Amino acid sequence: PKIFWPKLNDDGPRGNYVDEFFKAFEKIFALNEGGKGMAPKEQLVVLRSTLGGSRKTVYNNILETHEKEVDKDPEDVYQEIKSMLMRFTEAPIERLIRVQAEWVVKH
């Protein structure tokens, strides 16, 4: 069957678009290999091809930072990328509160 991968770039229509993207994306993963799911390292490769704009920049930065971990624990790297991309779901006021809280903890 032909698979149409969802795309995630800077043109997303609304905040929860990132969440919807990952639900659709991971649903396809689960169907791979006769229902056994796709290997985490393959998930990273496919994820890269579905990202654009600043979302791809986030992916590339994390992958570069965790270059050695990709072979050892690709699932952790995938989850970190997903976690960072999920930050795009924040409303402006939520982002402001989070950044202020992070700044207070660091200073």
Side-chain angles (χ1 to χ4, degrees), residues 2-3 5 7-8 18-19 22 24 29 34 38 40-42 49-50 52 56 59 71 74-75 88 94:
K2 202 172 209 178
I3 296 175
W5 293 97
K7 299 287 183 191
L8 182 62
V18 178
D19 187 45
F22 275 105
F29 283 167
M38 185 180 282
K41 196 166 183 180
E42 292 172 344
S49 69
T50 63
K56 187 173 260 185
Y59 173 95
D71 287 330
E75 176 65 27
F88 284 95
E94 293 171 321

Side-chain angles (χ1 to χ4, degrees), residues 9-99:
N9 53 40
D10 296 332
D11 299 331
R14 56 195 181 284
N16 65 346
Y17 179 69
V18 178
D19 187 45
E20 292 170 8
F21 165 81
F22 275 105
K23 284 179 183 173
F25 190 66
E26 291 172 351
K27 189 181 237 182
I28 296 171
F29 283 167
L31 296 173
N32 199 25
E33 297 294 324
K36 294 179 186 174
M38 185 180 282
K41 196 166 183 180
E42 292 172 344
Q43 291 176 4
L44 286 172
V45 172
V46 174
L47 179 60
R48 184 178 193 280
S49 69
T50 63
L51 300 175
S54 62
R55 317 306 171 102
K56 187 173 260 185
T57 301
V58 168
Y59 173 95
N60 289 334
N61 288 341
I62 292 173
L63 212 60
E64 187 178 307
T65 303
H66 297 292
E67 190 176 339
K68 294 176 184 169
E69 288 90 9
V70 170
D71 287 330
K72 294 178 196 170
D73 197 356
E75 176 65 27
D76 260 6
V77 177
Y78 174 83
Q79 290 302 326
E80 183 169 343
I81 292 168
K82 180 179 176 181
S83 172
M84 287 300 287
L85 291 174
M86 290 300 284
R87 286 187 172 189
F88 284 95
T89 62
E90 293 176 321
I93 191 70
E94 293 171 321
R95 185 176 310 117
L96 176 66
I97 292 168
R98 178 183 54 79
V99 169

